[in-house]
């Protein structure tokens, strides 16, 4: 089985569920580079702009360390962070998978698609 360095791009609100998924992936020998799942946003910065910039820099670095990005689109969102991370991965030539529905034309660039995390984990664990 291939061992991946995986970045999970998803809604911030889903990080508790994704933390459990990350644990399963790491138990199978993969490395999960998505620090946002366990660290959240840095509360040391009282200024929103400074906090957001630090989070964006961290997440961009984490995407660039991965060789697989898994985009979780199960929940609709008005926020666009996961899509920016996905676009960054595409631009860097990182393999991308999708868990959930296709929500825009660029999701056609994913090499594998799964309706649920359970199906995705069957391939990775």
């Amino acid at each position: 089985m291939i061992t991946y360095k995986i970045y999970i791009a998803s809604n911030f609100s889903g990080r508790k569920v994704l933390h459990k998924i990350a644990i399963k992936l790491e138990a199978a020998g993969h490395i999960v580079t998505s620090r946002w799942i366990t660290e959240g946003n840095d509360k040391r910065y009282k200024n929103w702009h400074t906090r957001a910039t630090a989070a964006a820099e961290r997440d961009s670095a984490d995407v660039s360390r991965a060789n697989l990005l898994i985009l979780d689109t199960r929940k609709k969102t008005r926020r666009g962070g996961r899509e920016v991370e996905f676009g960054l991965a595409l631009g860097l030539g990182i393999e991308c998978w999708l868990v959930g529905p296709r929500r825009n034309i660029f999701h056609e660039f994913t090499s594998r698609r799964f309706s649920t995390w359970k199906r995705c984990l069957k391939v990775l664990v």
Side-chain angles (χ1 to χ4, degrees):
M1 177 168 41
I2 298 172
T3 301
Y4 289 102
K5 292 181 209 169
I6 302 169
Y7 186 88
I8 301 171
S10 186
N11 290 41
F12 187 80
S13 63
R15 67 191 177 116
K16 288 182 183 180
V17 170
L18 295 174
H19 184 251
K20 293 176 185 175
I21 290 168
I23 290 169
K24 290 178 184 179
L25 291 168
E26 289 177 340
H30 303 289
I31 297 167
V32 177
T33 66
S34 311
R35 289 180 285 171
W36 70 269
I37 293 172
T38 55
E39 293 179 7
N41 286 328
D42 195 337
K43 301 295 183 191
R44 293 179 298 167
Y45 304 112
K46 294 184 180 185
N47 176 290
W48 184 90
H49 173 73
T50 304
R51 187 170 55 243
T53 300
E57 289 171 350
R58 177 203 57 209
D59 295 350
S60 296
D62 290 352
V63 169
S64 68
R65 289 188 4 233
N67 59 13
L68 172 64
L69 179 136
I70 302 175
L71 176 62
D72 180 346
T73 62
R74 294 171 306 136
K75 293 183 181 178
K76 283 187 178 182
T77 180
R78 291 179 171 238
R79 303 173 82 171
R82 69 182 180 195
E83 300 298 341
V84 173
E85 294 160 347
F86 172 61
L88 177 59
L90 288 174
L92 292 172
I94 296 169
E95 183 175 3
C96 296
W97 294 3
L98 180 70
V99 174
R102 293 179 189 106
R103 296 200 182 273
N104 68 58
I105 60 172
F106 294 100
H107 293 169
E108 293 301 322
F109 290 143
T110 56
S111 60
R112 299 198 67 174
R113 297 173 194 96
F114 305 91
S115 57
T116 65
W117 272 105
K118 184 176 181 179
R119 290 182 180 190
C120 182
L121 289 174
K122 282 184 182 181
V123 174
L124 293 168
V125 177

